[in-house]
Amino acid sequence: MNAILELFNYDFFQKAFLATVFASISCGIIGSYIVARRIVFISGGITHASFGGIGLAFLLGFNPLLGAVLFAVMSAMGIQFFTKVAEIREDSSIAIWWSLGMALGIIFVFLTPGYTPNLMSYLFGNILTVTSSELWWMFMLNLVIVLFFTLFLRQILYIAFDEEYARTAGLPVDLYNYLIMTLIALTVVLNIRVVGIILILSLLTIPQASANLFTKDFKKLIVLSSMFAFIGTMIGLFISYFLDIPSGAAIIFTLVLMFGLLRVVKIFV
Amino acid sequence: MKPLVKIENLTCAYDKIPVLENVNLEVNERDFLGVIGPNGGGKTTLLKAILGLLKPVKGKIAFGHDLQGRKKPIGYLPQVRHIDKKFPITVFDVVLSGSIMNGIYRPSAEERQKAEQLLVEMGILDIRHKAIGELSGGQMQRVFLCRALLSDPKLLILDEPDTFVDNRFEGELYEKLRALNKEIAIILVSHDVGTISTYVKTIACVNKSLHYHPSNIITQEQLEGYNCPIQVITHGEVPHTVLPYHHH
């Protein structure tokens, strides 16, 4: 126990702790929405497409997260465009953007002169190396998401549940959808440092699956999955530190284990 | 008196293939219009055009004073098969989603009260905390009816409310609609011609074009004349059946 408490004296661990709090809240909220709306696959596409932006940033020498945001938003819009205007089936257009982003990323990284040391931390995440400026961005995003979902929860919920009915009631459905798509893209990108591109879907779906065992109420689902995300990430973080294994993988392993345990608990309660 | 809804020369199409052509229709206060027709004949398309979900290719839909500006929306009960049964939402929240929302919105005490009162009227107050996916077909239809009625609509539009519903509830539903019809106009789409003709006042046959029939008695011959290829079937012991008896 003392060993755990001592960890909080370290600057890197304090940052990791804050990153965990921010990631849990943003992924708890956005993940609940994604799961409820069944758009997990779209979110996966956006996440992986953002790798193209990271590659571009390496090549041209600017902030990789900025490149990731650029590609994430672009692919979110691109998927919509391919589906609605170009009339490509939705799952196919998701797959196209998913692989295109990854392919561009690999080309850009390959063309970048010299060694790119951080690449692995973007693919698989490393919560222990999160910087202060990244934390600030995560804080701002959390503020926006929490405010948006608190003030407009009803509209968001009703549109997600029955878009057509919401339209007949005169709600600006398209505006809400675009805003939330943008928030999804930003959430994905800013949490890349925590678990990485390959693994981010886990933070958006596993805590929600756990929470869904105990509630079918959207509001409670958000709160409960944020809590589960926090607990799982913290335990994963300790495991990662003490066993010296990659943090992203340790976090996901813990989240899945937690889900399994809770599923068993559910049988008895 | 100005009609609630006045449709003139309405043409609607999906991917340039016309589904409705040159439809004219008036819905007045306290009307109870049954819309019948074959599958794919354009019944749902007509409803969507009225609800503003579908932009017509041609023609126009005008609304009477009570529906103009539509801050009090038309009550709408969609086909339940479009509903995601696994969606994490409670019955009470579904009913509250029938309220009118502007900007930052919290359901008011009156709205909550109204929602509870509607649930009591439908006899489903006890399931208000359940998830929508835990309900039977009949319960779900009741919930959606509560939602449609929450904002005191002047016009109620129902799209096949008799699917996935047990016979007992079907009867209750139509009696409920008859009572509601004292105050509000109703448009009801159904595939069950026999049953609805007991309750509706007028009938519209929709099969690409629309034939208005100003009474609730309709015969097989008339249906054929309207180019409306559906069977009129009477259900054994339906009370007050107004359909003439006929052989198959």
Side-chain angles (χ1 to χ4, degrees), chain A residues 36-38 87 150-152 154-155 157-158 160-162 164-165 167-171 176 212 216-218 221, chain B residues 48 53 76 78 83-84 86-90 93-94 96-98 101 103-107 112 131 147-148:
Chain A
R37 255 215 125 156
R38 297 177 193 260
E87 289 179 9
T150 317
L151 296 179
F152 301 103
R154 293 273 158 187
Q155 285 96 323
L157 175 64
Y158 300 159
F161 173 61
D162 192 345
E164 196 172 71
Y165 190 88
R167 274 186 212 279
T168 68
L171 284 178
Y176 273 94
N212 208 216
K216 302 279 187 294
D217 181 325
F218 191 65
L221 195 71
Chain B
K48 287 193 173 168
L53 295 169
Y76 173 46
I83 296 300
D84 181 353
K86 293 250 172 179
F87 196 94
I89 189 168
T90 61
D93 278 339
V94 173
L96 281 176
S97 77
M101 285 161 279
I104 296 165
Y105 166 83
R106 288 268 170 284
R112 285 174 181 280
R147 172 176 76 170

Side-chain angles (χ1 to χ4, degrees), chain A residues 50-221:
Chain A
S50 71
F51 184 63
I54 292 172
L56 187 68
F58 274 128
L59 180 64
L60 303 179
F62 60 92
N63 186 348
L65 285 187
L66 200 66
V69 168
L70 193 74
F71 268 61
V73 174
M74 211 171 70
S75 62
M77 304 301 155
I79 290 168
Q80 297 289 321
F81 179 82
F82 268 34
T83 311
K84 295 216 168 104
V85 185
E87 289 179 9
I88 297 169
R89 295 161 72 118
E90 191 180 41
D91 49 351
S92 302
S93 45
I94 292 168
I96 292 169
W97 282 94
W98 182 309
S99 42
L100 175 68
M102 291 299 276
L104 285 174
I106 292 164
I107 294 171
F108 291 146
V109 168
F110 183 77
L111 292 176
T112 306
Y115 174 63
T116 47
N118 279 331
L119 194 57
M120 282 293 274
S121 89
Y122 286 103
L123 284 176
F124 297 101
N126 191 347
I127 194 172
L128 298 170
T129 60
V130 174
T131 65
S132 299
S133 81
E134 282 163 350
L135 278 177
W136 270 111
W137 281 111
M138 286 176 85
F139 171 71
M140 303 281 270
L141 174 74
N142 271 268
L143 204 64
V144 172
I145 292 179
V146 170
L147 271 178
F148 184 60
F149 271 76
T150 317
L151 296 179
F152 301 103
L153 182 81
R154 293 273 158 187
Q155 285 96 323
I156 294 167
L157 175 64
Y158 300 159
I159 291 171
F161 173 61
D162 192 345
E163 195 172 300
E164 196 172 71
Y165 190 88
R167 274 186 212 279
T168 68
L171 284 178
V173 173
D174 293 321
L175 178 67
Y176 273 94
N177 284 345
Y178 277 115
L179 278 176
I180 295 176
M181 246 358 208
T182 311
L183 286 181
I184 293 173
L186 289 172
T187 302
V188 160
V189 167
L190 288 172
N191 286 307
I192 281 178
R193 289 303 307 274
V194 179
V195 280
I197 288 174
I198 315 250
L199 306 177
I200 189 102
L201 278 187
S202 62
L203 268 183
L204 296 169
T205 51
I206 307 170
Q208 285 72 17
S210 301
N212 208 216
L213 292 172
F214 302 101
T215 182
K216 302 279 187 294
D217 181 325
F218 191 65
K219 232 185 305 179
K220 290 177 188 152
L221 195 71

Side-chain angles (χ1 to χ4, degrees), chain A residues 226-238:
Chain A
S226 292
M227 274 166 50
F228 286 150
F230 176 75
I231 296 167
T233 310
M234 279 315 282
I235 295 174
L237 195 55
F238 291 131

Side-chain angles (χ1 to χ4, degrees), chain B:
Chain B
M1 190 176 63
K2 233 184 135 191
L4 277 178
V5 184
K6 191 177 164 94
I7 301 174
E8 282 175 299
N9 293 321
L10 178 77
T11 297
C12 290
Y14 292 115
D15 297 326
K16 296 193 179 101
I17 302 161
V19 184
L20 286 177
E21 266 178 338
N22 285 321
V23 165
N24 291 289
L25 181 70
E26 264 184 30
V27 182
N28 291 294
E29 271 177 49
R30 282 181 285 282
D31 268 4
F32 195 153
L33 174 72
V35 179
I36 57 173
N39 287 329
K43 301 190 294 286
T44 299
T45 307
L46 177 66
L47 298 191
K48 287 193 173 168
I50 296 173
L51 287 161
L53 295 169
L54 189 75
K55 220 171 128 41
V57 179
K58 213 175 72 179
K60 65 170 191 181
I61 303 174
F63 294 97
H65 294 302
D66 290 326
L67 295 177
Q68 249 163 21
R70 273 216 264 146
K71 265 304 145 198
K72 285 268 177 223
I74 297 170
Y76 173 46
L77 193 147
Q79 290 185 22
V80 282
R81 69 179 70 122
H82 294 309
I83 296 300
D84 181 353
K85 314 257 177 340
K86 293 250 172 179
F87 196 94
I89 189 168
T90 61
V91 166
F92 200 59
D93 278 339
V94 173
V95 177
L96 281 176
S97 77
S99 50
I100 299 140
M101 285 161 279
N102 291 315
I104 296 165
Y105 166 83
R106 288 268 170 284
S108 64
E110 294 92 79
E111 275 169 331
R112 285 174 181 280
Q113 224 167 11
K114 180 88 198 286
E116 271 185 28
Q117 182 202 326
L118 283 166
L119 285 164
V120 170
E121 279 173 34
M122 301 286 169
I124 49 170
L125 187 69
D126 53 321
I127 58 162
R128 66 188 181 282
H129 297 303
K130 278 198 175 180
I132 193 76
E134 294 171 290
L135 312 187
S136 68
Q139 288 174 324
M140 215 178 277
Q141 295 286 18
R142 284 181 180 88
V143 172
F144 289 130
L145 190 56
C146 289
R147 172 176 76 170
L149 292 173
L150 188 70
S151 333
D152 296 316
K154 286 278 175 197
L155 172 65
L156 182 62
I157 293 180
L158 306 101
D159 197 353
E160 305 204 356
D162 41 18
T163 31
F164 309 121
V165 158
D166 52 280
N167 285 338
R168 193 177 63 87
F169 173 63
E170 203 178 308
E172 277 175 33
L173 171 76
Y174 288 125
E175 286 303 332
K176 180 83 200 160
L177 291 182
R178 204 205 292 265
L180 286 168
N181 187 227
K182 294 198 173 84
E183 311 249 325
I184 56 184
I186 297 176
I187 301 177
L188 169 70
V189 164
S190 178
H191 52 256
D192 192 350
V193 192
T195 310
I196 68 161
S197 65
T198 318
Y199 295 92
V200 300
K201 293 174 183 164
T202 54
I203 292 174
C205 297
V206 178
N207 187 17
K208 209 167 172 189
S209 55
L210 184 146
H211 290 277
Y212 185 72
H213 189 80
S215 86
N216 61 347
I217 302 167
I218 196 160
T219 63
Q220 192 74 54
E221 290 71 35
Q222 282 169 319
L223 280 172
E224 274 156 21
Y226 293 151
N227 193 20
C228 210
I230 44 171
Q231 291 273 310
V232 176
I233 303 157
T234 48
H235 289 279
E237 300 281 323
V238 180
H240 325 295
T241 294
V242 286
L243 279 169
Y245 182 79
H246 59 277
H247 299 278
H248 285 287

